[in-house]
Amino acid sequence: MLLLTGGPFPVIGGPGHQKLTAFLKSYAATLPAPPTALLVVSGHWEESTPSVTSASNPALVYDYYGFSPESYELKYPAPGSPKLADRVCSLLQAAGMQCRKDAKRGWDHGTFIPLMLMFGEAQIPVVQLSLLASLDPAEHIRMGEALGPLQEEGVAIIGSGSSFHNLPALFAAMGGDSSALARSKQFDEWLQHVCTDPSLSYEKRAEVLSEWRKAPEGPYAHPREEHLLPLHVVFGAGKGEAGKLVFDDMAMGVKCSSIQWG
């Protein structure tokens, strides 16, 4: 699933996040059973080699700036999972990809902010997976394909980024710039179609998502692609199925979506 986060705003009640916060709080109740573990692909961690947190109790990384003091005191004391970190690496290596375990890296806000709302009891083990510094869309789809078996083992793979991430445009939209909303809608409609249209084959979906910059307003929606690529990983893990639209609304004055596979 691709989530949508605006720093700590969904948790501390920032402007334009009410509907998103309500969605995140209600999401766990829609699942048939609690996940055995959570693997979060965050748009805030890039490495030359796919890397996973492997500590038993990772710290939190408050990688945002200029927010209220309370936002730097947030806690999410869920356990880590060295066992899941090992499993992630073994799956990636079996697919011919390298993998590095990082016992010092903590969870950034792309992980702990949405999880505070989705799984607030903080009892399910969590591992965070980095993006590739190459930002190659096809390679991120391949990562997801390798990790697909985790879903059969009860692990929820969560892509934490945003379907729209142009910060100047977000600030303009919050200030009432209607053009930002209109342009975000064009990209969002394209993204929803590509991810959810059952008439598209997996191969076609992968091809189009790999060339997402050709989408209407693609470079405007994502001047830099790191917040979109978690979707590519989750898509690759989705067993070739069409995605399901689970959030379709506004956040911070622009159109945003969240897609679920599996």
Side-chain angles (χ1 to χ4, degrees):
M1 185 177 71
L2 178 70
L3 299 176
L4 319 133
T5 58
F9 273 160
V11 169
I12 66 174
H17 284 76
Q18 294 86 349
K19 292 180 178 180
L20 173 59
T21 296
F23 160 69
L24 293 173
K25 285 183 175 180
S26 66
Y27 182 74
T30 68
L31 300 176
T36 59
L38 306 170
L39 177 64
V40 182
V41 188
S42 171
H44 293 272
W45 186 18
E46 300 171 24
E47 296 286 352
S48 58
T49 296
S51 302
V52 289
T53 59
S54 60
S56 296
N57 297 102
L60 301 188
V61 180
Y62 301 100
D63 56 336
Y64 40 74
Y65 308 95
F67 290 91
S68 61
E70 66 180 291
S71 68
Y72 301 94
E73 299 175 0
L74 297 172
K75 304 298 180 187
Y76 192 71
S81 177
K83 180 179 179 181
L84 177 56
D86 288 343
R87 178 68 172 141
V88 169
C89 281
S90 68
L91 288 170
L92 291 174
Q93 290 164 353
M97 306 181 78
Q98 297 181 11
C99 183
R100 181 178 69 90
K101 289 180 286 185
D102 190 331
K104 296 182 178 180
R105 168 81 185 193
W107 299 328
D108 60 51
H109 80 272
T111 292
F112 72 84
I113 289 295
L115 295 189
M116 286 180 71
L117 298 170
M118 299 172 71
F119 303 99
E121 72 283 355
Q123 295 178 353
I124 302 174
V126 178
V127 166
Q128 182 174 324
L129 171 64
S130 76
L131 298 177
L132 286 166
S134 68
L135 302 180
D136 183 330
E139 281 297 286
H140 286 85
I141 293 174
R142 192 161 77 90
M143 283 173 58
E145 292 172 343
L147 297 172
L150 292 175
Q151 296 189 118
E152 303 301 324
E153 300 165 17
V155 178
I157 304 174
I158 299 174
S160 179
S162 180
S163 59
F164 184 94
H165 194 258
N166 178 331
L167 293 181
L170 285 171
F171 293 135
M174 292 292 287
D177 182 354
S178 60
S179 67
L181 173 58
R183 296 179 73 178
S184 72
K185 285 182 176 179
Q186 291 188 55
F187 180 74
D188 202 74
E189 289 172 358
W190 173 88
L191 188 66
Q192 288 190 25
H193 167 71
V194 173
C195 292
T196 67
D197 186 341
S199 70
L200 296 178
S201 67
Y202 175 81
E203 291 74 19
K204 184 61 177 179
R205 228 184 291 276
E207 175 188 342
V208 176
L209 284 173
S210 294
E211 299 179 350
W212 67 270
R213 284 193 172 275
K214 297 179 181 179
E217 300 295 358
Y220 175 78
H222 291 276
R224 192 173 186 272
E225 54 266 61
E226 82 286 346
H227 272 67
L228 183 64
L229 291 177
L231 178 143
H232 290 68
V233 180
V234 178
F235 159 73
K239 301 184 297 184
E241 301 173 356
K244 175 185 176 183
L245 186 65
V246 292
F247 181 81
D248 180 21
D249 216 306
M250 303 276 289
M252 295 185 70
V254 298
K255 186 69 170 57
C256 291
S257 294
S258 188
I259 312 293
Q260 175 181 302
W261 281 272

